[in-house]
Amino acid sequence: RINALLASFPYLLRHRIRPSLISMRRVNDPEYERDPENSLLLYPDASLRDTDPDVAALAYDGEDSAVPRMKRELCWVDKRTLPWKLLPGSSLELCARAQNRPLWVCDRMAKELSMVDDVLPKWTNRERLALIGCVDKLSRSIGACERIHQTVVPLNYARHALRSLTVWLWTLPFVMAKDLGLLTGPVVAVLSWILFGVYEIGSRIEDPFQGTLRLSIYCDAIRRDVLTDSIARDTAFELEEESKVSVSEEGEEDAIFELDSESEEYGGDDVPVKKKKNDSFLERLGL
């Protein structure tokens, strides 16, 4: 269950930061027919930004008077799609009701780890606290991603920078015309393309989650590492059988070399001991 929750975490975090990526349908939408058996009812889970005027107005009104919370429209999704099919058992319905779904997954993983019985000496409180610490780091990453998403460049600063750049480029030809002549137009055009391109790139990387990063690739890679490759990855911890085989092979090789040294001692051959050991070992292996 913990692996399934961990695999669903990046998808839920991506949906919270970029709600447009999740295919939600309104319950009352006549264009799409809902399958009651395979559909999951939930409210949109979005990380709010202070640039939204409706959210800001509701927050200010709530400080002055008692007003109800913002009404959210009930939607539905197909529970057979990612990440909903990764959530085990009753966790699916409970996670759908949560306001912050990735944080709910972290809380559930911490609860699952705290309920595991001690298996001495492999599983103790030390291992439990170490894993809960890893879950705590995941919960902190939610806040870090939301800070990146919600912290925007002040609108006044962005507008003033754009206006200043426009005025500077508008007056640049009058200064360069005396020295460049007919080349003033192409030079100013190239400079305008470069500087406006830098400005546009800066506005895009202001929030890297909105199209700059390929979040789907990261989520699929984490899911494969946690679930798909778990069986092959677990073989790296199976050392008991390999150690027995290696010990038996070393013992057999030592015995062969010992017999060869005795035959060399009593046989009176002129062949070097090292060569005779190797030849006898290869003969016993059938090579």
Side-chain angles (χ1 to χ4, degrees), residues 6-12 14-15 81-83 85-86 214-229 233:
L6 182 60
S8 65
F9 173 80
Y11 290 96
L12 296 174
R14 183 191 66 172
H15 291 165
T81 60
L82 290 172
K85 67 178 182 180
L86 297 176
R214 301 289 184 88
L215 299 178
S216 299
I217 298 177
Y218 299 148
C219 295
D220 292 339
I222 295 174
R223 177 179 57 85
R224 289 195 301 268
D225 291 341
V226 174
L227 296 179
T228 308
D229 297 338
R233 192 174 62 253

Side-chain angles (χ1 to χ4, degrees), residues 33-271:
E33 183 178 358
R34 183 174 71 90
D35 184 4
E37 183 178 358
N38 296 318
S39 61
L40 177 66
L41 298 178
L42 73 171
Y43 289 102
D45 178 19
S47 179
L48 303 179
R49 306 184 66 170
D50 57 357
T51 55
D52 191 343
D54 296 334
V55 177
L58 184 64
Y60 290 136
D61 293 340
E63 295 176 358
D64 298 334
S65 60
V67 294
R69 296 178 59 186
M70 179 181 294
K71 295 182 180 180
R72 296 182 298 169
E73 192 171 8
L74 186 62
C75 302
W76 64 273
V77 294
D78 192 347
K79 63 174 66 176
R80 295 169 296 182
T81 60
L82 290 172
W84 315 111
K85 67 178 182 180
L86 297 176
L87 296 173
S90 61
S91 300
L92 179 61
E93 298 289 343
L94 298 175
C95 182
R97 300 174 188 172
Q99 175 70 25
N100 191 328
R101 297 189 184 102
L103 184 59
W104 185 94
V105 169
C106 291
D107 294 340
R108 175 51 66 92
M109 284 193 293
K111 183 63 176 179
E112 293 280 354
L113 291 172
S114 63
M115 296 299 293
V116 177
D117 297 331
D118 292 344
V119 180
L120 300 177
K122 296 182 178 180
W123 179 261
T124 60
N125 286 332
R126 181 178 59 183
E127 286 76 16
R128 182 182 294 106
L129 291 176
L131 290 179
I132 292 178
C134 295
V135 175
D136 181 63
K137 292 181 181 179
L138 284 180
S139 63
R140 293 180 184 178
S141 67
I142 301 174
C145 293
E146 288 184 349
R147 282 195 298 271
I148 296 174
H149 173 65
Q150 295 175 352
T151 305
V152 298
V153 176
L155 183 60
N156 294 332
Y157 173 82
R159 289 179 177 176
H160 183 72
L162 181 59
R163 291 166 182 168
S164 302
L165 179 60
T166 304
V167 172
W168 185 80
L169 290 173
W170 183 261
T171 57
L172 183 62
F174 299 101
V175 179
M176 302 179 62
K178 181 176 62 174
D179 298 328
L180 298 180
L182 296 178
L183 295 177
T184 303
V187 171
V188 172
V190 172
L191 288 176
S192 301
W193 174 75
I194 294 174
L195 294 178
F196 279 118
V198 171
Y199 177 84
E200 182 65 21
I201 293 172
S203 63
R204 286 185 174 273
I205 64 176
E206 174 188 346
D207 186 0
F209 302 114
Q210 305 300 321
T212 304
L213 298 177
R214 301 289 184 88
L215 299 178
S216 299
I217 298 177
Y218 299 148
C219 295
D220 292 339
I222 295 174
R223 177 179 57 85
R224 289 195 301 268
D225 291 341
V226 174
L227 296 179
T228 308
D229 297 338
S230 60
I231 298 177
R233 192 174 62 253
D234 289 342
T235 57
F237 301 96
E238 298 175 359
L239 300 177
E240 183 177 359
E241 184 177 355
E242 296 178 0
S243 61
K244 291 181 179 179
V245 173
S246 61
V247 170
S248 61
E249 290 179 352
E250 290 178 359
E252 183 179 355
E253 186 176 349
D254 293 340
I256 293 173
F257 287 162
E258 205 174 296
L259 291 175
D260 291 340
S261 62
E262 291 178 0
S263 61
E264 174 65 21
E265 183 178 354
Y266 295 101
D269 296 336
D270 295 332
V271 181

Side-chain angles (χ1 to χ4, degrees), residues 8-27:
S8 65
F9 173 80
Y11 290 96
L12 296 174
L13 180 57
R14 183 191 66 172
H15 291 165
R16 179 168 178 79
I17 297 175
R18 295 189 62 186
S20 59
L21 294 179
I22 184 173
S23 57
M24 286 188 179
R25 311 297 182 187
R26 292 178 298 177
V27 174

